[in-house]
Amino acid sequence: MATSSGGGSGSGGGGTYSYRNGATHSHKSSSKLDTHTHKPLSLNSSSNSSSKNHVKSKSLGPSSTTQRRNSTTSKDHHPSVPGRVRVAVRLRPRNAEESVADADFADCVELQPELKRLKLRKNNWDADTYAFDEVLTEFASQKRVYEVVARPVVESVLDGYNGTIMAYGQTGTGKTYTLGRLGEEDTAARGIMVRSMEDILADVSLETDSVSVSYLQLYMESIQDLLDPANDNITIVEDPRTGDVSLPGASLVEIRDQQSFVELLRLGEVHRFAANTKLNTESSRSHAILMVHVRRSIKGRDAGHSSENGNHPHSVKSLKPPVVRKGKLVVVDLAGSERIDKSGSEGHTLEEAKSINLSLSALGKCINALAENSAHVPFRDSKLTRLLRDSFGGTARTSLVITIGPSPKHRGETASTIMFGQRAMKVENMVKLKEEFDYKSLARKLDVELDKLIMEHERQQKAFEDEIERMATEAQHRLSEAERNYIDLLEKEKSKYEKDYMDSIRKLEDQLAMNQRKNEDSHIKSRAEVYSEELADLKKMLQKETLLRKAAEGEVNHLKIQVSELKMSEASRKSEILKVHKMLEEEVHQKEKLEREIAILQSQLLQLSLESDQTRHQFERDGLEKDVSSVDSLTSQVKHQQQASGNGEKPSIAKLFEQGLGLQKILSLLEAEDADVRIHAVKVVANLAAEEANQGKIVEAGGLTSLLRLLQSSQDETIHRVAAGAIANLAMNETNQELIMSQGGISLLSMTAASAEDPQTLRMVAGAIANLCGNDKLQSKLRGEGGIKALLGMVRCRHPDVHAQVARGIANFAKCESRASSLGTKSARSFLIEDGALAWIVQNANNEASSIRRHIELALCHLAQHETNARDMINGGALWELVRISRDCSREDIKTLAHRTLVSSPTFQAEMRRMRISY
């Protein structure tokens, strides 16, 4: 195995890249290695000699470094020939899952690295054999892969050619590992991208050469910049003359050291799209494209001209433009091909898989057309093929590594990958040296010469100005000397006159001092007299002020006593006023209470009077004078009790009716033929059902059955509304809930909801169903009889009260499901999600009405507590609402519940990390 590895490395550098044999491997002396190196060379030379006139007659890439230039032999200067695409196959080792699942089965492929062949087993006794340029076993190191696949391409890029390194294969077979591994924990695991840049930086001179990179991804037919995520729609520009493809909108970063390049790769990998599938936990969902632009100056062609000419003004005529070589390395990490039934992709991941397979299919069509020498190659079918136009059938030196897995379960995908590589080996590229004159460098040299001439002119100009300045300085010196002599004479005269002036001043000052002393003696006497008079006046004023102050203090003390007395009297008055205010407020409150009670009693009296009159008329027509007299007596009893209730106590309507007609008689009126009688009777039953003490009596007397029968038989909207309200009141009791369900109540309520248009009727029906949704035992039956769909159907009414009851019912149902999930009695996904309620829940999660929003937020939190619902909620957009609730909800209990749900769910955590939601 060690021998085959060394031989493989030799052939990797010499099979297709024959021009590298002398430059790179001429120092090797092993005969076995030479045999492996020259064998593919002769094959390529013979197969490609027919097209040699299409390539520039130059050596294919002498290096600019001394070592590589000295090692180049005469073999490297033969005319260039077309370069076939080199294809290497790499086998991934079995992973843990395959080791267990396929323990009893052999690998679907058998590698023969010494013969550079592999066998694809059809069955236990038959296999197909395929030959490749390199066959890399599962034990091949990253360094070995780089040496045989990438190093020849990197060296040709350094010599001024375009080069492409691409990985193709099924998802999860190691493409990204082969190309993009950073190797920070283990340097031996570094991939082709990192190792390529190491060789490039080691070979170039950063003083004269430049290296810059762009890092892109092709995602859903959109070219995005991995170094600038905001730049997510880069256009492809084609040169109409040469057909070259460029991306002017992409970021281009100059590389000065290896560490900065690794940081760029790490930044790009963070922004690249990936997803978790059944075949690969970190499946790339985009094609990654690394472009490395190498610009090198060819030294020695214009050397010596400046030293021969010196500073001669005509040296510019001998300047020649230097030569630069521009090589471009393109490293393409294709997204893995996958079968949907094996990867389990769904939702947005399914759309990504479709886009990946379409672009790979377009690439396969182009490879087929090139391999068959077809007149038309459909490069424009996909942005991927447009970007790789120079790599297949163009001017680039291309190496393709196809990655396969050993599992017999994926034999079909492995066979497809192998056939792709076989067809790619038939593609011929016309490699072309990218060499041009560096007119910019020539312009810089001309600028240097021009600067020299300008400096010489400035030097001569400065010398002339210095001479003029010297003559002017000498003349100024002479003028200054004459001025100094004149000034000395003036100073002598000035000092003489100043001395005379000072003598005169001293005499005058002495005389003035004598006069002042005489005047001061007389002034002192007069000032003393004035001061004594002023002092006497001040003493008188002080005594007067002292007397006034004592009088003011006495008056102030008197006023203080009066103020304290006033404060005490004011405090007593305030307390009395507060008592009076309190008494007035109590009187007002008592008055308002009495007025409210009177108004209630009056309205009840009016209603009972109206109902009594209507009942009397009906009874007269039906001959029921006895019942009418009972209603009249009941009405009079109500009036009598209202007039007699002076203490404000409200009489119970239910008690009055029970005493007057009897509950059984009221329920019998529910089946009266007259619609008005039924309406009044059902209203009475609804009022009775509002009191919890009467609910059991109504059910025992058959009131629930009569109400349900009214829903089924009556067409009157008012009866539906009042009957539904009575059923909603009865449904607040758990025992009554089971009776309602057993008598088909949910079906009748659903039918009523479907036919009703009045918002109040829908509100009553929704309230009844919402109460039933809170019973854990009735979940499956309620859903089976259409309860959830009836709730969702009532949202057609835009009334907020209806929506509030629907939201309450959904919240009750979700809460029961959450309890069942925590107890282990329910493992399937929610009935609400299956019946399509999630879309309405997400739509109204931020409703302006607090009664709707509160119930919806509770429903979302309860649904999210069941891990089975997590994926549906993510696809339906509920994750964003849960994050919002955990941050912005006004109720702390709901906010805490949402936060605890998000933290405890692995599915939500993984999705938030993928979407880069900081939480």
Side-chain angles (χ1 to χ4, degrees):
M1 182 62 80
T3 305
S4 65
S5 175
S9 177
S11 68
T16 301
Y17 308 98
S18 55
Y19 65 99
R20 278 290 166 201
N21 289 337
T24 305
H25 302 295
S26 61
H27 63 284
K28 297 182 184 257
S29 59
S30 171
S31 60
K32 188 169 185 179
L33 184 60
D34 292 339
T35 302
H36 285 292
T37 303
H38 287 77
K39 184 175 180 180
L41 172 63
S42 61
L43 291 174
N44 283 343
S45 300
S46 61
S47 62
N48 298 331
S49 60
S50 61
S51 305
K52 61 184 178 181
N53 293 330
H54 295 282
V55 186
K56 196 171 182 180
S57 179
K58 291 193 176 185
S59 105
L60 294 183
S63 173
S64 62
T65 61
T66 305
Q67 178 182 357
R68 290 169 59 196
R69 186 186 297 112
N70 293 339
S71 63
T72 304
T73 64
S74 60
K75 292 187 297 180
D76 296 319
H77 297 280
H78 61 76
S80 300
V81 295
R84 176 176 61 79
V85 174
R86 281 182 55 85
V87 181
V89 59
R90 185 181 193 185
L91 177 64
R92 172 182 59 77
R94 286 193 178 193
N95 55 35
E97 180 181 353
E98 292 170 347
S99 298
V100 175
D102 301 336
D104 298 332
F105 300 95
D107 292 349
C108 65
V109 293
E110 177 186 351
L111 303 186
Q112 297 176 331
E114 297 84 0
L115 302 177
K116 297 184 180 180
R117 294 187 307 186
L118 67 80
K119 290 183 178 181
L120 178 63
R121 291 191 176 93
K122 294 181 179 180
N123 45 49
N124 291 335
W125 57 85
D126 193 10
D128 293 328
T129 303
Y130 301 95
F132 288 95
D133 294 302
E134 289 294 339
V135 174
L136 302 167
T137 68
E138 64 270 33
F139 305 107
S141 65
Q142 290 282 74
K143 179 179 180 182
R144 160 77 172 152
V145 174
Y146 174 73
E147 292 289 339
V148 301
V149 174
R151 183 184 289 277
V153 179
V154 174
E155 291 178 347
S156 66
V157 170
L158 290 170
D159 287 342
Y161 296 88
N162 288 347
T164 300
I165 304 169
M166 187 172 74
Y168 177 93
Q170 182 190 9
T171 181
T173 54
K175 299 182 296 300
T176 303
Y177 177 84
T178 301
L179 296 182
R181 186 77 169 186
L182 298 182
E184 293 176 308
E185 297 84 2
D186 182 8
T187 56
R190 290 169 298 160
I192 287 176
M193 291 183 181
V194 177
R195 293 177 184 269
S196 299
M197 184 55 68
E198 289 176 352
D199 281 0
I200 291 172
L201 292 177
D203 198 70
V204 301
S205 172
L206 296 179
E207 297 178 356
T208 59
D209 306 334
S210 66
V211 179
S212 55
V213 301
S214 297
Y215 200 12
L216 314 167
Q217 70 173 346
L218 179 58
Y219 177 71
M220 302 284 284
E221 282 301 299
S222 173
I223 301 176
Q224 303 176 5
D225 197 335
L226 289 174
L227 305 181
D228 182 11
N231 189 8
D232 58 358
N233 191 13
I234 301 173
T235 57
I236 300 175
V237 178
E238 294 186 16
D239 190 334
R241 182 175 58 86
T242 63
D244 291 340
V245 174
S246 62
L247 300 169
S251 301
L252 192 63
V253 181
E254 185 173 357
I255 301 300
R256 307 293 296 178
D257 55 73
Q258 182 70 13
Q259 184 60 35
S260 62
F261 174 70
V262 173
E263 291 295 331
L264 288 180
L265 289 183
R266 185 184 297 108
L267 175 63
E269 287 303 315
V270 170
H271 295 144
R272 189 177 178 189
F273 288 98
N276 184 5
T277 67
K278 292 181 179 179
L279 297 179
N280 191 356
T281 57
E282 288 292 334
S283 176
S284 301
R285 313 310 291 169
S286 64
H287 307 301
I289 303 168
L290 175 69
M291 294 183 178
V292 182
H293 301 268
V294 181
R295 186 179 185 276
R296 310 195 69 180
S297 298
I298 305 303
K299 300 179 181 179
R301 297 201 175 188
D302 57 348
H305 65 82
S306 59
S307 60
E308 293 174 1
N309 295 319
N311 294 326
H312 195 276
H314 300 289
S315 63
V316 177
K317 296 181 180 180
S318 64
L319 291 173
K320 295 181 181 179
V323 177
V324 294
R325 290 178 178 171
K326 297 180 179 179
K328 180 173 72 173
L329 174 64
V330 179
V331 183
V332 184
D333 180 11
L334 295 175
S337 60
E338 61 183 60
R339 291 186 178 178
I340 307 304
D341 56 344
K342 290 186 177 181
S343 65
S345 300
E346 59 183 12
H348 186 67
T349 309
L350 177 59
E351 296 301 320
E352 293 174 339
K354 289 179 181 178
S355 178
I356 292 169
N357 290 340
L358 283 175
S359 61
L360 294 177
S361 176
L363 177 61
K365 291 178 182 178
C366 293
I367 297 295
N368 290 342
L370 290 169
E372 297 170 1
N373 293 322
S374 175
H376 171 68
V377 181
F379 283 113
R380 304 191 68 83
D381 286 359
S382 170
K383 288 186 178 180
L384 176 64
T385 54
R386 290 178 67 189
L387 290 172
L388 298 179
R389 186 168 188 168
D390 190 51
S391 303
F392 293 97
T395 62
R397 181 75 68 183
T398 301
S399 273
L400 170 67
V401 55
I402 61 173
T403 57
I404 59 176
S407 176
K409 292 191 299 183
H410 303 304
R411 184 189 180 282
E413 289 83 349
T414 302
S416 176
T417 303
I418 292 172
M419 295 310 300
F420 180 88
Q422 289 289 299
R423 289 190 293 270
M425 291 176 66
K426 299 178 182 178
V427 177
E428 295 282 351
N429 289 351
M430 302 298 294
V431 292
K432 181 180 179 181
L433 183 65
K434 306 296 182 180
E435 186 177 86
E436 61 185 28
F437 292 113
D438 189 2
Y439 291 103
K440 292 182 180 179
S441 178
L442 176 60
R444 288 194 295 270
K445 292 182 180 179
L446 290 175
D447 289 339
V448 173
E449 291 296 329
L450 180 60
D451 290 340
K452 290 181 180 179
L453 293 175
I454 292 173
M455 290 175 60
E456 178 63 21
H457 173 71
E458 290 176 350
R459 186 185 63 77
Q460 295 177 358
Q461 182 71 20
K462 188 174 184 304
F464 175 74
E465 291 175 354
D466 290 344
E467 182 64 21
I468 296 297
E469 186 177 358
R470 186 187 64 77
M471 295 173 64
T473 303
E474 186 176 353
Q476 186 69 27
H477 179 68
R478 292 177 181 178
L479 181 61
S480 299
E481 187 175 358
E483 288 178 351
R484 282 196 301 271
N485 294 333
Y486 177 72
I487 290 171
D488 290 341
L489 293 174
L490 287 177
E491 288 292 332
K492 290 179 181 179
E493 292 293 328
K494 181 180 178 182
S495 60
K496 179 180 177 183
Y497 288 119
E498 285 181 350
K499 185 176 180 183
D500 295 339
Y501 173 75
M502 294 302 295
D503 292 340
S504 301
I505 291 297
R506 281 196 296 272
K507 291 179 181 179
L508 291 173
E509 287 178 350
D510 293 341
Q511 187 176 357
L512 179 62
M514 292 176 63
N515 293 333
Q516 287 178 349
R517 282 194 296 272
K518 292 179 180 179
N519 292 330
E520 285 177 359
D521 294 339
S522 60
H523 287 163
I524 289 171
K525 294 179 180 179
S526 61
R527 288 177 182 173
E529 295 175 355
V530 172
Y531 289 157
S532 62
E533 293 176 357
E534 292 178 354
L535 182 60
D537 294 338
L538 288 173
K539 287 181 178 180
K540 293 178 180 179
M541 293 174 63
L542 181 60
Q543 291 175 356
K544 187 176 181 180
E545 290 294 331
T546 303
L547 294 174
L548 292 174
R549 179 181 176 186
K550 289 180 179 180
E553 288 178 352
E555 187 175 356
V556 167
N557 292 331
H558 180 67
L559 291 173
K560 286 182 178 179
I561 294 171
Q562 291 180 353
V563 167
S564 61
E565 292 176 353
L566 290 173
K567 285 183 178 178
M568 292 175 64
S569 61
E570 183 180 1
S572 62
R573 284 195 298 270
K574 283 184 178 179
S575 62
E576 293 176 359
I577 291 171
L578 289 174
K579 291 179 181 178
V580 172
H581 275 300
K582 188 174 182 181
M583 293 173 63
L584 289 174
E585 289 176 357
E586 291 177 354
E587 291 294 333
V588 170
H589 181 70
Q590 187 68 20
K591 181 180 178 182
E592 291 176 351
K593 181 178 179 181
L594 292 174
E595 287 177 351
R596 287 196 301 270
E597 292 176 350
I598 291 170
I600 293 171
L601 292 173
Q602 287 175 350
S603 64
Q604 292 176 351
L605 178 61
L606 179 60
Q607 181 180 357
L608 290 173
S609 299
L610 293 174
E611 292 177 355
S612 175
D613 292 339
Q614 292 174 356
T615 306
R616 186 190 305 113
H617 293 314
Q618 179 62 33
F619 286 179
E620 288 175 356
R621 289 195 299 269
D622 297 339
L624 302 176
E625 291 82 358
K626 182 178 179 181
D627 292 338
V628 173
S629 62
S630 299
V631 174
D632 288 340
S633 63
L634 180 61
T635 304
S636 62
Q637 186 178 358
V638 171
K639 292 179 181 179
H640 176 71
Q641 289 194 17
Q642 287 177 341
Q643 293 172 358
S645 58
N647 57 355
E649 293 182 357
K650 179 181 176 181
S652 171
I653 296 175
K655 188 173 182 180
L656 293 177
F657 269 94
E658 189 175 347
Q659 294 173 356
L661 289 178
L663 179 61
Q664 192 63 43
K665 184 61 179 178
I666 296 171
L667 294 178
S668 66
L669 295 179
L670 294 176
E671 301 178 0
E673 295 182 0
D674 189 275
D676 293 335
V677 175
R678 289 200 304 272
I679 290 173
H680 290 296
V682 77
K683 285 183 179 179
V684 172
V685 175
N687 289 331
L688 289 171
E691 297 182 9
E692 187 177 356
N694 301 323
Q695 293 178 0
K697 298 177 181 179
I698 293 173
V699 174
E700 290 175 1
L704 176 60
T705 304
S706 300
L707 290 171
L708 294 174
R709 192 180 298 117
L710 276 178
L711 287 181
Q712 183 177 9
S713 60
S714 176
Q715 302 297 325
D716 189 279
E717 186 83 3
T718 303
I719 291 179
H720 285 177
R721 179 177 68 253
V722 180
I727 293 172
N729 290 334
L730 294 175
M732 297 176 68
N733 182 279
E734 185 175 352
T735 305
N736 296 342
Q737 291 172 357
E738 296 178 0
L739 289 173
I740 292 171
M741 292 297 296
S742 64
Q743 296 182 25
I746 192 64
S747 300
L748 295 174
L749 290 170
S750 301
M751 292 171 55
T752 305
S755 60
E757 297 295 337
D758 179 46
Q760 295 305 319
T761 303
L762 291 172
R763 181 174 70 86
M764 294 298 181
V765 174
I769 297 178
N771 290 338
L772 294 174
C773 286
N775 194 317
D776 298 278
K777 303 175 183 178
L778 307 177
Q779 295 280 293
S780 299
K781 188 173 182 180
L782 188 144
R783 187 252 184 165
E785 294 183 8
I788 297 176
K789 292 186 177 178
L791 273 179
L792 295 176
M794 283 185 278
V795 300
R796 70 182 185 276
C797 176
R798 301 294 182 181
H799 200 282
D801 291 344
V802 178
H803 283 209
Q805 293 299 326
V806 172
R808 184 170 69 87
I810 290 176
N812 288 342
F813 198 93
K815 184 176 181 180
C816 291
E817 285 193 325
S818 176
R819 282 199 296 264
S821 173
S822 62
L823 294 174
T825 58
K826 180 176 178 61
S827 59
R829 65 176 184 164
S830 171
F831 290 149
L832 293 172
I833 296 177
E834 291 183 354
D835 285 355
L838 184 60
W840 185 82
I841 293 174
V842 174
Q843 181 182 357
N844 290 272
N846 201 13
N847 196 290
E848 295 179 357
S850 61
S851 58
I852 300 175
R853 184 175 65 252
R854 174 170 58 85
H855 290 305
I856 291 297
E857 289 174 346
L858 275 173
L860 277 174
C861 293
H862 288 310
L863 284 174
Q865 287 183 327
H866 192 15
E867 186 69 16
T868 309
N869 301 330
R871 180 52 55 186
D872 292 298
M873 297 185 71
I874 291 171
N875 296 334
L879 176 58
W880 292 103
E881 294 301 331
L882 283 171
V883 173
R884 178 191 63 76
I885 293 168
S886 68
R887 294 174 176 172
D888 304 332
C889 184
S890 59
R891 287 189 49 172
E892 285 298 325
D893 55 341
I894 301 177
K895 184 176 180 180
T896 303
L897 180 60
H899 174 75
R900 186 169 66 248
T901 302
L902 288 173
V903 170
S904 62
S905 172
T907 305
F908 286 146
Q909 287 291 310
E911 183 66 15
M912 287 191 290
R913 285 195 297 271
R914 190 184 76 84
M915 300 175 70
R916 298 180 178 86
I917 298 176
S918 59
Y919 196 79

